[in-house]
Amino acid sequence: MRPILMKGHERPLTFLRYNRDGDLLFSCAKDHTPNVWFADNGDRLGTYRGHNGAVWSCDVSRDSTRLITGSADQTAKLWDVQTGRELFTFRFDAPARSVEFAIGDGLAVITTDNFMENVPTAQVKRIAEDPDDQSEDSLLVITGIKGRINRAVWGPLNRTIITAGEDATIRIWDTETGQCLKESDKEQGHQKTITSLSKSADWSHFLTGSLDKSAKLWDTRTLTLIKTYVTERPVNAVDISPLLDHVVIGGGQDAMNVTMTDRRAGKFEAKFFHKILQEEIGGVKGHFGPINALAFNPDGRSFSSGGEDGYVRLHHFDSDYFNIKI
């Protein structure tokens, strides 16, 4: 499984997202400019220029025509995927962190950080078909969370929004009323900041990664804990295979502690666990710094990782991977 090394960013990676067809890969980094790549051979297609700060996350519409990005420059932007043109800018009073389109692409949820006097929020925006009709008005603003919200994603049928972040608590919110429906159990849940959240292909369960050196699998409707995967390093990124019963977990110690170690000592590998048996299957080394982003291709036959070293590594699985027996 020889990786394809993709060098298009000058700063550490923050987020990776495949489009629904699995032929395009979008990457975000701290260098202000999201990139789009061919997911097959790793060739760079283009860039989206316009942000003035680190870009924390992105999402692409179901038909791969629109891209939304959230940035530390206190904006979220809508882009035309094909031309790279900026279509609209949502302005906030604080950095925009997590962005995601709802089913149908008519809505998006955007989170803003606790910055200066501002409390962290998750805001729902209507996404107009015609950019000229687009407005900045929020349909819903969710507040009442202490600490930064690192991820906010839509639940099944857009009825709920799931948030997770610095306070180590997962919450499910009603998208009609903005009320908190459920909170994760303090005893069973994470003990430190939740860094990442990834949904299964059928949305029945989701995976969270945390600085407490574990990843946890949850039921989307009931918020019951299903499985826990324990590693020996803080977890920065997680994803669930759409094809096999596998999860991938990546991380490493803080960037500021990295300089004294080589890539083996720093634990900078993507680790694969069996989703049901919770056993480690194997690891993929290569990054010279913590892994900050992971994504499986929707066909389950490849995955990509983005690191503190500024590289995106694209791995196509060989036939041995599909014959792993536990």
Side-chain angles (χ1 to χ4, degrees):
M1 190 168 72
R2 278 188 59 195
I4 298 169
L5 251 67
M6 293 140 68
K7 181 69 174 162
H9 292 289
E10 297 161 11
R11 298 283 314 283
L13 270 286
T14 55
F15 200 77
L16 292 168
R17 172 76 88 192
Y18 283 94
N19 67 340
R20 180 168 154 263
D21 297 329
D23 59 340
L24 299 176
L25 174 63
F26 297 85
S27 61
C28 303
K30 293 182 180 176
D31 64 2
H32 310 182
T33 309
N35 285 205
V36 58
W37 315 76
F38 275 123
D40 184 38
N41 56 14
D43 284 353
R44 184 159 70 162
L45 265 167
T47 57
Y48 300 91
R49 296 187 180 277
H51 279 301
N52 293 318
V55 182
W56 294 120
S57 67
C58 69
D59 195 16
V60 58
S61 63
R62 195 175 167 86
D63 58 4
S64 302
T65 57
R66 299 277 184 88
L67 179 73
I68 186 170
T69 52
S71 169
D73 64 8
Q74 305 192 359
T75 68
K77 290 181 186 286
L78 279 173
W79 310 82
D80 184 311
V81 167
Q82 196 170 356
T83 64
R85 190 166 63 91
E86 191 180 310
L87 299 176
F88 191 78
T89 300
F90 298 101
R91 297 181 195 285
F92 302 99
D93 299 329
R97 185 152 304 257
S98 171
V99 293
E100 189 178 77
F101 285 119
I103 305 172
D105 302 323
L107 301 168
V109 61
I110 304 167
T111 70
T112 63
D113 288 355
N114 42 338
F115 179 70
M116 311 284 271
E117 298 296 308
N118 297 299
V119 296
T121 66
Q123 305 188 21
V124 176
K125 305 281 189 185
R126 188 175 297 290
I127 306 296
E129 283 191 33
D130 184 345
D132 296 336
D133 301 334
Q134 186 65 53
S135 87
E136 284 201 66
D137 297 341
S138 295
L139 301 179
L140 176 70
V141 179
I142 293 170
T143 56
I145 300 173
K146 291 184 174 62
R148 195 171 71 206
I149 308 167
N150 284 331
R151 290 295 291 146
V153 300
W154 294 91
L157 302 175
N158 299 343
R159 287 180 182 154
T160 54
I161 288 170
I162 304 163
T163 62
E166 272 187 344
D167 65 357
T169 306
I170 302 160
R171 294 180 178 85
I172 298 182
W173 306 82
D174 187 307
T175 49
E176 291 290 318
T177 64
Q179 288 191 311
C180 184
L181 302 175
K182 290 188 180 70
E183 282 192 10
S184 59
D185 185 73
K186 291 274 191 293
E187 300 289 309
Q188 288 188 320
H190 288 293
Q191 302 305 310
K192 291 185 179 174
T193 297
I194 297 170
T195 53
S196 48
L197 190 156
S198 175
K199 295 182 289 195
S200 65
D202 64 358
W203 296 33
S204 65
H205 52 284
F206 64 91
L207 183 66
T208 53
S210 166
L211 298 183
D212 67 8
K213 303 182 181 177
S214 73
K216 291 177 184 283
L217 196 68
W218 307 83
D219 184 290
T220 306
R221 292 184 192 280
T222 62
L223 204 53
T224 26
L225 180 64
I226 307 170
K227 302 283 180 186
T228 299
Y229 313 94
V230 179
T231 69
E232 63 273 15
R233 82 226 53 188
V235 177
N236 298 338
V238 295
D239 204 9
I240 301 171
S241 169
L243 192 61
L244 302 176
D245 283 327
H246 293 173
V247 298
V248 63
I249 296 168
Q253 80 265 56
D254 277 341
M256 59 187 179
N257 304 331
V258 165
T259 49
M260 324 287 264
T261 57
D262 75 356
R263 61 179 177 172
R264 290 180 302 282
K267 306 274 193 280
F268 308 134
E269 56 184 328
K271 292 224 165 182
F272 284 78
F273 283 78
H274 194 284
K275 185 160 75 177
I276 295 155
L277 303 177
Q278 304 176 59
E279 291 175 10
E280 191 179 320
I281 304 166
V284 179
K285 294 187 176 71
H287 282 287
F288 287 89
I291 292 173
N292 295 337
L294 286 168
F296 270 104
N297 190 302
D299 67 6
R301 298 192 168 274
S302 61
F303 87 103
S304 55
S305 57
E308 192 76 21
D309 55 9
Y311 281 96
V312 179
R313 297 174 74 92
L314 176 62
H315 305 263
H316 288 279
F317 297 120
D318 55 23
S319 56
D320 293 346
Y321 170 74
F322 299 100
N323 298 325
I324 291 174
K325 297 282 185 286
I326 296 262

Coordinates of all heavy atoms in Angstrom, one line a residue, residues 152-185:
A152 N -19.9 20.1 14.9 CA -21.4 20.1 15.0 C -21.9 19.4 13.7 O -21.5 19.9 12.6 CB -22.0 21.5 15.1
V153 N -22.6 18.4 13.8 CA -23.1 17.6 12.6 C -24.6 17.4 12.7 O -25.2 17.5 13.7 CB -22.4 16.3 12.5 CG1 -20.9 16.4 12.3 CG2 -22.7 15.4 13.6
W154 N -25.2 17.2 11.5 CA -26.7 17.0 11.4 C -27.0 15.5 11.8 O -26.2 14.6 11.4 CB -27.2 17.3 10.0 CG -27.1 18.7 9.7 CD1 -26.0 19.3 9.1 CD2 -28.1 19.7 9.9 NE1 -26.3 20.7 8.9 CE2 -27.5 20.9 9.4 CE3 -29.3 19.7 10.5 CZ2 -28.2 22.1 9.5 CZ3 -30.0 20.9 10.5 CH2 -29.5 22.1 10.0
G155 N -28.1 15.3 12.5 CA -28.5 14.0 12.8 C -29.5 13.5 11.7 O -29.7 14.2 10.7
P156 N -30.1 12.3 11.9 CA -30.9 11.8 10.8 C -32.1 12.7 10.5 O -32.7 13.3 11.4 CB -31.5 10.5 11.5 CG -30.4 10.1 12.5 CD -29.9 11.4 13.0
L157 N -32.4 12.8 9.2 CA -33.5 13.6 8.6 C -33.4 15.1 9.1 O -34.5 15.8 9.0 CB -34.8 13.0 9.1 CG -35.0 11.5 8.7 CD1 -36.3 11.0 9.3 CD2 -35.0 11.4 7.2
N158 N -32.3 15.6 9.4 CA -32.1 17.0 9.8 C -32.9 17.4 11.0 O -33.1 18.6 11.3 CB -32.5 18.0 8.7 CG -31.6 17.7 7.4 OD1 -30.6 17.1 7.5 ND2 -32.1 18.3 6.3
R159 N -33.4 16.4 11.8 CA -34.2 16.7 13.0 C -33.4 17.2 14.2 O -33.9 17.8 15.1 CB -35.0 15.5 13.4 CG -36.2 15.3 12.4 CD -37.0 14.1 12.8 NE -38.1 13.8 11.8 CZ -38.6 12.7 11.6 NH1 -38.2 11.6 12.3 NH2 -39.6 12.5 10.7
T160 N -32.1 16.8 14.2 CA -31.2 17.1 15.3 C -29.9 17.6 14.8 O -29.5 17.4 13.7 CB -31.0 15.8 16.2 OG1 -30.5 14.8 15.4 CG2 -32.3 15.4 16.9
I161 N -29.2 18.2 15.7 CA -27.8 18.6 15.5 C -27.0 18.0 16.7 O -27.4 18.1 17.9 CB -27.6 20.1 15.4 CG1 -28.2 20.6 14.1 CG2 -26.1 20.5 15.6 CD1 -28.3 22.1 14.0
I162 N -25.9 17.4 16.4 CA -25.0 16.8 17.4 C -23.8 17.7 17.6 O -23.1 17.9 16.6 CB -24.6 15.4 17.0 CG1 -25.9 14.5 16.8 CG2 -23.8 14.7 18.1 CD1 -25.6 13.2 16.0
T163 N -23.5 18.1 18.8 CA -22.3 18.9 19.1 C -21.3 18.2 20.0 O -21.7 17.5 20.9 CB -22.7 20.3 19.6 OG1 -23.3 20.1 20.9 CG2 -23.6 21.1 18.7
A164 N -20.0 18.5 19.9 CA -19.0 18.0 20.8 C -17.8 19.0 20.8 O -17.6 19.6 19.8 CB -18.6 16.6 20.3
G165 N -17.1 19.1 21.9 CA -16.0 20.0 22.0 C -15.3 20.0 23.2 O -15.1 18.9 23.9
E166 N -14.8 21.2 23.7 CA -13.9 21.3 24.8 C -14.4 20.8 26.1 O -13.6 20.4 27.0 CB -13.5 22.8 24.9 CG -12.3 23.1 24.1 CD -11.7 24.5 24.3 OE1 -12.4 25.3 25.0 OE2 -10.6 24.8 23.9
D167 N -15.7 20.9 26.3 CA -16.2 20.4 27.6 C -16.4 18.9 27.7 O -17.0 18.4 28.7 CB -17.5 21.2 28.0 CG -18.7 20.8 27.0 OD1 -18.5 20.1 26.1 OD2 -19.8 21.3 27.3
A168 N -16.0 18.2 26.7 CA -16.0 16.7 26.7 C -17.4 16.1 26.7 O -17.5 14.9 26.9 CB -15.1 16.2 27.8
T169 N -18.4 16.9 26.4 CA -19.8 16.4 26.5 C -20.4 16.4 25.1 O -20.2 17.4 24.4 CB -20.6 17.3 27.4 OG1 -20.0 17.3 28.7 CG2 -22.0 16.7 27.6
I170 N -21.0 15.3 24.7 CA -21.8 15.3 23.4 C -23.2 15.7 23.7 O -23.8 15.2 24.7 CB -21.7 13.9 22.8 CG1 -20.2 13.5 22.5 CG2 -22.5 13.9 21.5 CD1 -20.1 12.0 22.4
R171 N -23.8 16.6 22.9 CA -25.2 17.0 23.1 C -25.9 16.8 21.8 O -25.4 17.1 20.7 CB -25.2 18.4 23.6 CG -24.7 18.7 24.9 CD -24.8 20.1 25.3 NE -24.2 20.3 26.7 CZ -23.0 20.6 27.0 NH1 -22.1 20.6 26.0 NH2 -22.6 20.7 28.2
I172 N -27.2 16.4 21.9 CA -28.1 16.3 20.8 C -29.2 17.4 20.9 O -29.8 17.5 22.0 CB -28.8 14.9 20.7 CG1 -27.7 13.9 20.4 CG2 -29.8 14.9 19.5 CD1 -28.2 12.5 20.3
W173 N -29.3 18.3 19.9 CA -30.2 19.4 20.0 C -31.4 19.2 19.0 O -31.2 18.7 17.9 CB -29.5 20.7 19.6 CG -28.2 20.9 20.5 CD1 -27.0 20.4 20.3 CD2 -28.1 21.8 21.6 NE1 -26.1 20.8 21.2 CE2 -26.8 21.7 22.1 CE3 -29.1 22.6 22.3 CZ2 -26.4 22.4 23.2 CZ3 -28.6 23.3 23.4 CH2 -27.3 23.2 23.8
D174 N -32.5 19.7 19.3 CA -33.7 19.7 18.4 C -33.5 20.9 17.5 O -33.3 22.0 17.9 CB -35.0 19.9 19.3 CG -36.2 19.7 18.4 OD1 -36.3 20.4 17.4 OD2 -37.1 18.9 18.8
T175 N -33.6 20.7 16.2 CA -33.4 21.7 15.2 C -34.6 22.7 15.0 O -34.5 23.7 14.5 CB -33.0 21.2 13.8 OG1 -34.0 20.1 13.5 CG2 -31.7 20.5 13.8
E176 N -35.8 22.2 15.5 CA -36.9 23.1 15.5 C -36.9 24.1 16.6 O -37.1 25.3 16.4 CB -38.2 22.3 15.6 CG -38.5 21.4 14.4 CD -38.9 22.2 13.2 OE1 -39.7 23.2 13.3 OE2 -38.4 21.9 12.1
T177 N -36.6 23.6 17.8 CA -36.8 24.5 19.0 C -35.4 25.0 19.6 O -35.4 25.9 20.3 CB -37.5 23.7 20.2 OG1 -36.6 22.6 20.5 CG2 -38.8 23.1 19.7
G178 N -34.3 24.3 19.2 CA -33.0 24.6 19.7 C -32.8 24.1 21.1 O -31.8 24.5 21.8
Q179 N -33.7 23.2 21.6 CA -33.5 22.7 23.0 C -32.6 21.5 23.0 O -32.5 20.7 22.0 CB -34.9 22.3 23.5 CG -35.7 23.5 23.9 CD -37.0 23.0 24.7 OE1 -37.7 22.1 24.3 NE2 -37.2 23.7 25.8
C180 N -31.9 21.3 24.1 CA -31.0 20.2 24.3 C -31.8 19.0 24.6 O -32.5 19.0 25.6 CB -29.9 20.5 25.3 SG -28.7 19.1 25.5
L181 N -31.8 17.9 23.8 CA -32.6 16.7 24.0 C -31.8 15.7 24.9 O -32.4 15.0 25.7 CB -32.9 16.1 22.7 CG -33.7 16.9 21.7 CD1 -33.9 16.2 20.4 CD2 -35.1 17.3 22.3
K182 N -30.5 15.5 24.6 CA -29.7 14.5 25.4 C -28.3 15.0 25.6 O -27.8 15.8 24.8 CB -29.7 13.2 24.6 CG -31.0 12.5 24.5 CD -30.8 11.1 23.9 CE -32.1 10.3 23.8 NZ -33.0 10.9 22.8
E183 N -27.7 14.5 26.6 CA -26.3 14.8 26.9 C -25.6 13.4 27.2 O -26.2 12.6 27.7 CB -26.1 15.7 28.1 CG -26.3 17.1 27.9 CD -25.8 18.0 29.0 OE1 -25.2 17.5 29.9 OE2 -26.2 19.2 29.0
S184 N -24.3 13.4 26.7 CA -23.6 12.1 27.0 C -23.3 12.0 28.5 O -23.2 12.9 29.2 CB -22.3 12.1 26.2 OG -21.5 13.2 26.6
D185 N -23.3 10.7 28.9 CA -23.0 10.4 30.4 C -21.6 10.8 30.8 O -20.7 10.5 30.1 CB -23.2 8.9 30.5 CG -23.2 8.5 32.0 OD1 -24.1 8.8 32.7 OD2 -22.1 7.9 32.4

